[in-house]
Amino acid sequence: MTRRRLDPNVCGVTAAIAVVDGKWKTVLLWLLESGPHRPAELRRRLPGLSEKVLTQVLREMETDGLVHREVYDELPLKTVYSLTDFGRDLAEALGPLAAWGHRRLERLTEAQPTS
């Protein structure tokens, strides 16, 4: 996936959404909030996420400064991902948006006709 450069004069919300855009990034942020995880642990928690896509998404998040990748020099190699301070800041900033999303889902559920 090619990452496009963001215009520095763009709206801040647009800049933030560009970092979490995609199917897996927000859920990976949420999982990594609980602490460091190995890639296999993340895949087990997210059925449907292929190893290739997980690697790609984690690399993008690392490039954006959201996650830290630690490789332990032991056999077999052990890789662990954790949130950086910047990633924790983003996860905290997304908290109110998540609350808004839950309220929206409740409204949609309430608006559905009962059968």
Side-chain angles (χ1 to χ4, degrees):
M1 170 188 265
T2 306
R3 300 200 34 120
R4 57 189 159 99
R5 291 190 63 159
L6 208 54
D7 179 356
N9 298 317
V10 75
C11 164
V13 174
T14 301
I17 288 174
V19 174
V20 294
D21 190 26
K23 181 175 180 178
W24 299 107
K25 289 182 183 178
T26 54
V27 72
L28 285 169
L29 271 173
W30 178 72
L31 287 173
L32 290 170
E33 269 189 295
S34 67
H37 284 74
R38 296 183 69 176
E41 294 170 329
L42 295 170
R43 283 200 54 226
R44 275 193 298 274
R45 302 272 311 266
L46 299 169
L49 175 60
S50 71
E51 185 173 348
K52 177 185 174 195
V53 172
L54 175 63
T55 300
Q56 177 183 337
V57 171
L58 287 170
R59 283 184 183 156
E60 288 176 9
M61 292 174 75
E62 185 179 15
T63 298
D64 288 331
L66 304 177
V67 299
H68 172 73
R69 178 177 178 255
E70 180 91 24
V71 179
Y72 294 89
D73 191 20
E74 56 187 50
L75 290 176
L77 283 178
K78 177 181 172 183
T79 304
V80 175
Y81 287 90
S82 59
L83 287 183
T84 62
D85 289 340
F86 196 53
R88 277 190 286 284
D89 287 347
L90 176 59
E92 186 177 316
L94 290 174
L97 183 60
W100 181 90
H102 287 293
R103 288 192 307 272
R104 177 180 181 265
L105 292 172
E106 287 171 9
R107 287 179 64 168
L108 291 173
T109 301
E110 291 167 1
Q112 286 182 352
T114 55
S115 311

